[in-house]
Amino acid sequence: MRYFALINLALLFLFSSSMQAQDLSSYQKKTFEKDGGTMPYRILLPKDYNPSEKYPLILFLHGSGERGNDNEAQLVHGSNLFLKEEVRNNYKAIVVFPQCKAQSSWAKIDVEGDFPNREFVFYEDAEATKDMLLLEGLLKHLKKTYKLDKNRMYVGGLSMGGMGTFELVRRNPKTFAAALPICGGANPEISKKLKKPHWWVFHGDDDQVVPEKYSSQMVDAMKANGIDVKYSVYPGVGHNSWDNAFAEPELLSWLFSKSK
């Protein structure tokens, strides 16, 4: 997947400087293992965590630039939002950032042609990647290990993780109450399997890495299927539309208002 390789170096400097500016030690380091495979993940428990109390789950999927096995890189985008004092006080939840392996992906995606004229190929019913199977195993593990409010489970992701958000919901259509794909995309034909969650989709209209058309095509198909979907397009914004999405003043109030 040349797309994923192309943006790794571009994100490296941003990753390094961002990680230095944040204290992310509240996210506990853990590793999930299944069938010989491993998936590092970081988990943030609520303030004054009570193991007998039910909590919503937020699962966030990183982009291609944060892949690996260091169990750190996946926190570069979005993790600081959930560390804000007002967020921890007002929106108590278990927040999980899993990490996809290098050279792997949350979903099977191919690319035809070369930048800037390449086209993404999204599949309607592709076989799951190894990391998707591990992700689904991790989700089951979290359900068994913590008391989760199964009516308030949320998933989001950016870029490769936005694509993974669509794919995870497609494969688990009754699991999530709301989903937040940022600068991602998928095959519009899967929309009929995305009806259960509420959706808020985000993209920058000047995105040269993952063009905005891939989100707009999904939104059009979802609306045609009667799905509850909001769409925020940011004029003049490139691939880093996650900055705009995380700054949406109603983002968390919208998310936590959703229940199955």
Side-chain angles (χ1 to χ4, degrees), residues 162-211:
M163 300 170 190
T165 298
F166 284 116
E167 178 68 358
L168 185 62
V169 174
R170 179 188 76 83
R171 292 176 52 84
N172 303 271
K174 298 180 180 180
T175 297
F176 299 99
L180 302 166
I182 306 169
C183 57
N187 188 318
E189 293 298 322
I190 73 170
S191 294
K192 55 186 176 290
K193 297 182 180 180
L194 307 179
K195 294 183 177 182
K196 291 295 183 181
H198 302 268
W199 292 83
W200 193 347
V201 181
F202 309 84
H203 221 119
D205 73 356
D206 196 32
D207 193 331
Q208 303 299 309
V209 179
V210 182

Side-chain angles (χ1 to χ4, degrees), residues 53-70:
E53 183 178 342
K54 285 186 178 181
Y55 294 98
L57 174 72
I58 299 175
L59 184 66
F60 198 84
L61 308 181
H62 63 77
S64 66
E66 296 79 57
R67 292 177 297 176
N69 60 4
D70 63 359

Side-chain angles (χ1 to χ4, degrees), residues 79-135:
S79 61
N80 209 37
L81 171 64
F82 304 105
L83 290 175
K84 292 181 178 180
E85 194 70 16
E86 64 270 25
V87 172
R88 301 208 73 189
N89 289 335
N90 296 325
Y91 301 105
K92 293 186 177 182
I94 294 175
V95 183
V96 175
F97 279 70
Q99 187 175 32
C100 182
K101 288 182 179 59
Q103 309 305 318
S104 186
S105 178
W106 301 119
K108 177 176 170 54
I109 303 155
D110 288 324
V111 180
E112 295 180 349
D114 296 313
F115 184 85
N117 299 312
R118 61 177 177 234
E119 293 286 331
F120 288 85
V121 179
F122 298 106
Y123 295 92
E124 182 177 355
D125 193 20
E127 184 177 349
T129 65
K130 291 182 179 179
D131 280 82
M132 174 55 71
L133 294 176
L134 282 168
L135 179 63

